[in-house]
Amino acid sequence: MMRAALVRAYGEPPQLEDFGDPSANGQGELVVEVLAAGLNPVDLHLASGDYVGGSPPLPYVAGREGVGRTADGQRVYFDAPIPPHGSFAQRAVVAAESCVSLPDGVDDGLAIACGIAGRAAWLSLEYRARLQPGETVLVLGASGTVGQIAIQAATLMGAGPVLAAARSDDGLRRAGELGASATVKLDGERGAIVDRMRAAAPDGIDVVIDPVWGSPAEAAVEALAPRGRLVQLGAAAGERASFSSNAVRGKALTILGHVSWLTPRDVARAAYERLSEHAARGELTADVEQLPLADVAEAWERQGSGPGCKLVLVP
Ligand SMILES: NC(=O)c1ccc[n+]([C@@H]2O[C@H](COP(=O)([O-])OP(=O)(O)OC[C@H]3O[C@@H](n4cnc5c(N)ncnc54)[C@H](OP(=O)(O)O)[C@@H]3O)[C@@H](O)[C@H]2O)c1
């Protein structure tokens, strides 16, 4: 038996209990000793039972990514553990092809921040927006882990000015430390937010990275330059956004959806390798807080109300 955080009912947080030790059954599966597991908004969506990509059958161990040690002693990042197993446990079953060996210079927490969150930021810029050197990027939700990494990834890819938009002063200050050249506070009337976005980018905004949707996305669509692109990858601010035909058609905008699991595996793997190499060289970071797995209930609640950092559980 091992300790694991189990979801037994949709809509309920996971509970720590004893659960049967995993074994690798299928071809290409292996068991990893979990060193650290990352908490993400998707864990809460999955446990709600109405996730767009489907939820695992009950009961299942929560957690979709982690850092672990394989039987041959390698330290690896893994994602998509095979249900009912998950990363919020002492051991998990994973597909060998989901494991990426980690460079020594990147610690477990940062390796996890580069995973579900970091990879979505990187792929949104490189694979979906096809960011070109010198283009101006606006990152919404800049205080979250996706946003923090998008600011740095855009800079590493040679973007021109990188603007950061968030609700809190702390989030905006941190975005500046991570390389944002200007910040936009997301408060007040939409027209005022659009004015602030435009003032922060006198040459126009070419690409918006949008993990929030809702009213911040509505403002960003208005602020985008002609032929601009908005990559929509999350709905932290709401499931709906409304803008006119003219706002999109009149500027020949492109709105691109992104989910990492619909990205070819080799493209997603290459993105993770690039991120972890930058992290190991000290060129990319993220705010991480580690908690013991026993505190899973507290971590779950904090993730639901905006943790302001990547929460990592250590079994
Ligand atoms: N498509 C994909 O493949 C993919 C992959 C990873 C993540 N995502 C999605 O991307 C989003 C962000 O993920 P994350 O890991 O960065 O989460 P996170 O670290 O919890 O950050 C959430 C972000 O959303 C902001 N936010 C929350 N409610 C808001 C509101 N009402 N108005 C404006 N901003 C609001 C938060 O701002 P405050 O700091 O002000 O609370 C914070 O910046 C989530 O929706 C997640 O599901 C998608």
Side-chain angles (χ1 to χ4, degrees):
M1 298 292 266
M2 62 170 183
R3 298 299 279 164
L6 259 97
V7 175
R8 287 203 172 270
Y10 296 130
E12 300 288 330
Q15 304 289 336
L16 201 62
E17 46 187 288
D18 288 330
F19 193 62
D21 248 324
S23 56
N25 296 321
Q27 210 177 4
E29 292 180 9
L30 49 88
V31 174
V32 291
E33 289 284 331
V34 179
L35 302 172
L39 190 51
N40 287 281
V42 72
D43 295 309
L44 279 66
H45 297 319
L46 285 166
S48 74
D50 61 2
Y51 180 59
V52 63
S55 297
L58 297 170
Y60 70 92
V61 180
R64 302 308 299 152
E65 66 175 347
V67 168
R69 198 159 301 278
T70 57
D72 63 1
Q74 278 190 72
R75 191 174 68 105
V76 297
Y77 168 79
F78 66 89
D79 68 350
I82 297 164
H85 293 289
S87 58
F88 295 1
Q90 292 175 293
R91 284 170 285 287
V93 187
V94 299
E97 63 175 9
S98 95
C99 296
V100 185
S101 287
L102 286 168
D104 285 341
V106 55
D107 66 32
D108 295 348
L110 186 50
I112 286 169
C114 290
I116 289 176
R119 203 173 41 193
W122 189 277
L123 291 170
S124 294
L125 288 158
E126 185 183 59
Y127 179 67
R128 299 300 279 143
R130 308 275 174 194
L131 179 70
Q132 300 300 307
E135 287 191 313
T136 298
V137 176
L138 168 64
V139 177
L140 305 180
S143 52
T145 307
V146 169
Q148 287 193 351
I149 294 190
I151 292 164
Q152 299 167 86
T155 307
L156 287 164
M157 289 176 198
V162 179
L163 321 174
R167 296 185 295 184
S168 69
D169 291 327
D170 277 353
L172 293 176
R173 181 192 46 74
R174 185 65 180 130
E177 291 169 359
L178 295 174
S181 51
T183 58
V184 176
K185 186 147 179 172
L186 293 176
D187 69 352
E189 292 295 312
R190 185 169 81 189
I193 296 174
V194 175
D195 289 346
R196 266 177 244 144
M197 288 176 172
R198 287 192 176 132
D203 294 331
I205 298 166
D206 301 302
V207 171
V208 174
I209 298 301
D210 171 28
V212 298
W213 204 231
S215 61
E218 292 171 356
V221 162
E222 278 193 47
L224 263 169
R227 290 181 292 279
R229 291 96 78 202
L230 180 146
V231 184
Q232 190 344 259
L233 70 144
E239 279 295 330
R240 307 248 169 247
S242 162
F243 24 78
S244 69
S245 161
N246 192 46
V248 178
R249 169 176 45 92
K251 291 189 286 184
L253 301 185
T254 304
I255 297 183
L256 300 137
H258 173 77
V259 278
S260 296
W261 49 271
L262 286 179
T263 307
R265 189 162 266 285
D266 58 327
V267 174
R269 186 183 186 89
Y272 185 82
E273 286 170 351
R274 296 278 303 282
L275 281 155
S276 57
E277 285 160 15
H278 284 299
R281 288 199 292 267
E283 296 162 355
L284 185 142
T285 190
D287 296 337
V288 175
E289 185 180 332
Q290 298 203 350
L291 296 94
L293 180 58
D295 291 350
V296 62
E298 176 197 329
W300 195 264
E301 194 180 324
R302 284 177 60 193
Q303 181 60 56
S305 53
C309 63
K310 169 57 62 191
L311 295 175
V312 166
L313 295 168
V314 180

